[in-house]
Amino acid sequence: MTATIRPVKGTRDYYPEDMALRAWLYDQMRHVSELFGYQEYQAPILEPIGLYAAKSGDELVEKQSYVFEDRGGDRITLRPELTPSLARMVAQRQNQLAFPLRWWSFGPFWRYERPQKGRTREFFQWNIDLIGDPSPEAEAEIVAIAAAFFKQVGLRSDEVQIRVNDRRLLAKELESIGIPEQARTPLLGLIDRKDKLSPEAWILQTKDIGLANAQIDSLNELLANKELWRGSESLERFFQAIEAFGASEYVVFEPSIIRGLQYYTGTVFEAWDTAGEFRALFGGGRYDNLVSDVGGKPVEAVGFAVGDLVITLLLQSLGRLPELAKSPTDVFVTLFDVSLRDKSFAIMNALREAGIRVAGQLTSEKLGKQFKYADRIGAKLAVILGPDEAAKGKVGFKVLATGEQGECTESEMIAKVRQLLEA
RNA sequence: GUGGAUGUAGCUCAACCGGCAGAGCGCCGCACUGUGGAUGCGGUUGUUGAGGGUUCAAGUCCCUUCAUCCACCCCA
């Protein structure tokens, strides 16, 4: 064990059963994306460091990105997020794309930080964006997609919740209670962390920023007001559309949702498990400046990102993981001995040409072991060709789940196998 | 980057005050040389993460180091 080379810190090996689960999640993401008419795309995993310098959080770029020099001396980053790459792709073909764009992607990302529960250094993420539509209805569509995804994977609205806010609304409200401009940015960061702080620490830290007692009271009142959105035309329209899209049971207004990324310009949202056991399931919002920041003409955009890991942990803790096949094997073809090898191989071939998924014994082994193997890999059916069957021009079969056994002629085999697999 | 916890068989974990390294599961074999999953019997599995120190004696105490986990920070 000491001799094996360790995996890179924060990476995760996906053994076949883990991979089957990730592939299943990917399928659900694809399904929901396509239900809303979104197209899949892929961006490079390597990007120049400069792409992120513009607008991501400072800490993200300076401390949490994997950066190295390639052989030509260029500074390369393992992408820590997708949105800047998307912005570049849009900017590069801005004049030939059919707006609004409905695009989605799934792939690996890297972030150099201490791994912990629900977080690794290499992780996989689903990104989905609607680009070129400034309306609150566009935001509602994106949030409705998130709700549809939860339904698709079997998470109910009493288990997960999408919390929505609008940074513009909050900025206006902070101004109205007399919070000076220079205090607003640090205050927003503090509000974002409020539920992690004790009430005492919260008051202490708001005072540090320079708020008076009366202002803290107003602020607390503001953050407790779940009806605050009714003052905002865009949020009114947003919630009306959410209702019409059938997503309202999953969506609530929450004035303390801010999000850390600097590039969000308006609506922001996060999804959480209602039990509060895990970190955010996904986060997103409106980012209208990003395309122009990478050199394009200004385009409005809204989107979100979901990691595979927290969703998986949540489904697991709720006992909601799907039962996936152990392997794609439908049929296991046994091998009696060397004299029947070619004939057994020909049977494997015939079944495969009929589109049936077959694994088969390649070298001589006791039949008992072959059946055990067939069982362990989850084959539904075993096909047996021994001297007795061969003498009669027949093949034997066995349904592994029930032990039911029988024979049929070689010419009947494919039809028989198909029939047994469907049962 | 800061703080805390934990490293013992393939896996999950025991081992009293420092006194012969164990159990369950798994795996292998046999009962059952043409039949898996059940059962019974038998067997295998170790540099106790690594290095050093104290001691008659270290899984256990001390130091160093590495790794993992948890929280903070941060969160695409």
Side-chain angles (χ1 to χ4, degrees):
Chain A
M1 206 57 203
T2 47
T4 48
I5 294 173
R6 294 181 180 287
V8 173
K9 187 187 185 80
T11 59
R12 180 177 165 201
D13 293 326
Y14 285 81
Y15 286 82
E17 63 192 67
D18 308 313
M19 191 60 212
L21 184 59
R22 195 179 93 201
W24 173 80
L25 265 180
Y26 193 173
D27 284 345
Q28 309 311 305
M29 290 162 179
R30 162 172 283 115
H31 178 78
V32 172
S33 299
E34 293 185 347
L35 268 183
F36 284 78
Y38 283 61
Q39 301 169 284
E40 186 172 11
Y41 69 100
Q42 281 276 322
I45 283 161
L46 301 177
E47 292 281 11
I49 179 73
L51 182 65
Y52 305 96
K55 268 293 176 179
S56 302
D58 293 331
E59 171 137 355
L60 175 58
V61 179
E62 286 166 21
K63 293 186 177 173
Q64 298 183 341
S65 292
Y66 277 88
V67 182
F68 57 90
E69 255 183 36
D70 69 11
R71 291 177 193 278
D74 291 328
R75 300 250 290 160
I76 304 297
T77 304
L78 281 172
R79 62 183 190 185
E81 58 161 328
L82 187 61
T83 308
S85 304
L86 169 61
R88 188 199 60 224
M89 286 172 68
V90 172
Q92 281 169 186
R93 299 211 176 163
Q94 205 155 9
N95 293 330
Q96 49 184 297
L97 295 168
F99 289 93
L101 306 175
R102 290 182 158 93
W103 285 10
W104 72 279
S105 189
F106 180 84
F109 296 86
W110 286 267
R111 189 168 177 177
Y112 193 86
E113 61 187 347
R114 292 276 266 264
Q116 52 186 282
K117 187 178 171 189
R119 185 158 73 183
T120 48
R121 287 183 169 185
E122 181 188 47
F123 57 98
F124 289 77
Q125 213 173 52
W126 176 35
N127 281 259
I128 187 158
D129 294 274
L130 176 52
I131 296 156
D133 186 330
S135 72
E137 288 77 17
E139 294 152 15
E141 173 167 305
I142 286 291
V143 171
I145 291 170
F149 175 74
F150 286 144
K151 276 187 201 167
Q152 177 70 24
V153 298
L155 290 169
R156 302 190 310 255
S157 58
D158 60 325
E159 294 164 336
V160 292
Q161 228 181 20
I162 304 166
R163 300 173 185 168
V164 180
N165 191 19
D166 187 334
R167 284 186 174 184
R168 290 163 298 197
L169 173 65
L170 210 65
K172 200 183 89 198
E173 295 291 339
L174 292 182
E175 189 179 358
S176 76
I177 58 174
I179 306 225
E181 182 131 23
Q182 72 273 12
R184 275 178 224 156
T185 303
L187 183 55
L188 287 177
L190 194 57
I191 292 170
D192 197 38
R193 289 198 307 275
K194 181 170 190 276
D195 55 356
K196 280 189 178 177
L197 300 172
S198 65
E200 299 77 34
W202 161 250
I203 289 173
L204 214 68
Q205 296 203 25
T206 44
K207 280 186 174 163
D208 278 352
I209 290 177
L211 269 65
N213 284 335
Q215 287 175 316
I216 295 175
D217 290 343
S218 308
L219 180 59
N220 284 337
E221 203 176 306
L222 195 80
L223 295 178
N225 183 2
K226 309 291 187 197
E227 301 296 315
L228 196 65
W229 60 277
R230 292 194 187 276
S232 151
E233 191 220 329
S234 66
L235 281 171
E236 297 256 10
R237 281 169 58 187
F238 171 86
F239 278 106
Q240 189 180 338
I242 284 291
E243 172 94 42
F245 285 141
S248 50
E249 59 174 338
Y250 282 94
V251 185
V252 295
F253 172 72
E254 173 51 63
S256 67
I257 296 293
I258 303 292
R259 307 220 27 89
L261 279 188
Q262 293 166 14
Y263 57 60
Y264 291 118
T265 54
T267 304
V268 286
F269 44 87
E270 291 178 347
W272 293 82
D273 66 301
T274 47
E277 193 184 337
F278 299 99
R279 61 186 64 249
L281 297 166
F282 70 71
R286 177 168 285 291
Y287 52 100
D288 286 343
N289 299 329
L290 208 57
V291 173
S292 55
D293 286 340
V294 298
K297 288 176 287 193
V299 184
E300 311 81 4
V302 55
F304 69 80
V306 190
D308 68 322
L309 196 52
V310 183
I311 291 275
T312 302
L313 288 174
L314 177 59
L315 288 171
Q316 189 173 32
S317 81
L318 294 170
R320 214 63 61 72
L321 289 177
E323 296 213 358
L324 300 169
K326 286 185 196 166
S327 86
T329 311
D330 294 320
V331 176
F332 185 83
V333 177
T334 60
L335 173 62
F336 190 82
D337 62 21
V338 175
S339 70
L340 287 166
R341 187 174 57 200
D342 289 350
K343 200 145 175 63
S344 287
F345 287 4
I347 285 172
M348 297 174 201
N349 181 50
L351 288 166
R352 287 173 186 142
E353 288 191 339
I356 294 161
R357 301 176 301 179
V358 175
Q361 185 71 24
L362 300 176
T363 52
S364 280
E365 183 58 87
K366 289 168 72 174
L367 269 185
K369 286 198 167 186
Q370 298 187 35
F371 276 95
K372 185 164 186 161
Y373 178 80
D375 185 49
R376 288 197 58 178
I377 65 173
K380 298 174 192 73
L381 220 57
V383 165
I384 309 114
L385 180 76
D388 299 350
E389 290 86 358
K392 291 182 283 185
K394 293 194 166 181
V395 295
F397 55 81
K398 180 169 184 174
V399 181
L400 288 167
T402 62
E404 176 198 349
Q405 229 168 317
E407 287 186 346
C408 63
T409 65
E410 280 178 52
S411 55
E412 294 165 343
M413 177 181 70
I414 286 169
K416 186 70 189 171
V417 164
R418 281 205 175 114
Q419 179 208 324
L420 289 169
L421 287 177
E422 277 166 27

